[in-house]
Amino acid sequence: NAGVTQTPKFQVLKTGQSMTLQCAQDMNHNSMYWYRQDPGMGLRLIYYSASEGTTDKGEVPNGYNVSRLNKREFSLRLESAAPSQTSVYFCASSERQATFSNQPQHFGDGTRLSIL
Amino acid sequence: QKEVEQNSGPLSVPEGAIASLNCTYSDRGSQSFFWYRQYSGKSPELIMSIYSNGDKEDGRFTAQLNKASQYVSLLIRDSQPSDSATYLCAVTEPSGGSYIPTFGRGTSLIVHP
């Protein structure tokens, strides 16, 4: 099993360009999450999907949109990329819906995104 | 603002020693507590979870939780150079009917031979 798969692994964009980061999990998990990780800042939650069909904002949602396409897939879109969005993006999933508190997370390998 | 605080380090310990990593959190409603290990350039991986006060042991790792003091720690016994990594503390907090994880900024651990 692949677990959580993120594509692409690396990407360079110009300011103002748009792109979609893809995430898919094959563990039949209910909850999915998008984080960004910047040096010295830890992991910050961008958006999450507590269950199939729902999405909610996290700590830093501005400049991003998400789509929970089905139970397996959760994509993150940058409509007009800005240099401040240069970061490493991680997708994660949890087995149960986010209405349960004891939710260890499984992370993808990350997407390293640079915006010039 | 809900906060999860960790000393950024680096914490340097000799091989074979006990490494002690600490984390404090601000939300008394926090329910679940996790420790993740992250090697440089890699993704976080879960190493311990703890949900009730007291100690939980798994091999060389022990997680300790004190909800009254809003404090969770991770002890690594017989530290090895392969334990050198950043350790992230995560706390799950209630938010609008869901439980949302908040991560600390991580503590860098260096185990030197």
Side-chain angles (χ1 to χ4, degrees), chain A residues 35 37 40 98 101 105 108 112, chain B residues 32 36 38 41 43 99-101 105:
Chain A
Y35 295 91
Q37 187 173 38
S101 65
Q105 298 194 312
R112 284 147 184 82
Chain B
S32 304
Y36 293 83
Q38 186 175 25
S43 59
Y99 288 92
I100 304 305
R105 299 185 179 189

Side-chain angles (χ1 to χ4, degrees), chain B residues 54-69:
Chain B
D55 295 358
K56 179 182 178 183
E57 185 175 320
D58 183 1
R60 296 187 296 112
F61 299 100
T62 298
Q64 300 175 318
L65 175 61
N66 184 324
K67 287 188 175 181
S69 299

Side-chain angles (χ1 to χ4, degrees), chain B residues 57-101:
Chain B
E57 185 175 320
D58 183 1
R60 296 187 296 112
F61 299 100
T62 298
Q64 300 175 318
L65 175 61
N66 184 324
K67 287 188 175 181
S69 299
Q70 296 176 240
Y71 176 95
V72 58
S73 65
L74 178 71
L75 301 178
I76 306 175
R77 291 181 300 281
D78 188 24
S79 296
Q80 301 297 309
S82 59
D83 294 326
S84 298
T86 296
Y87 289 80
L88 303 172
C89 171
V91 174
T92 303
E93 301 159 338
S95 176
S98 294
Y99 288 92
I100 304 305

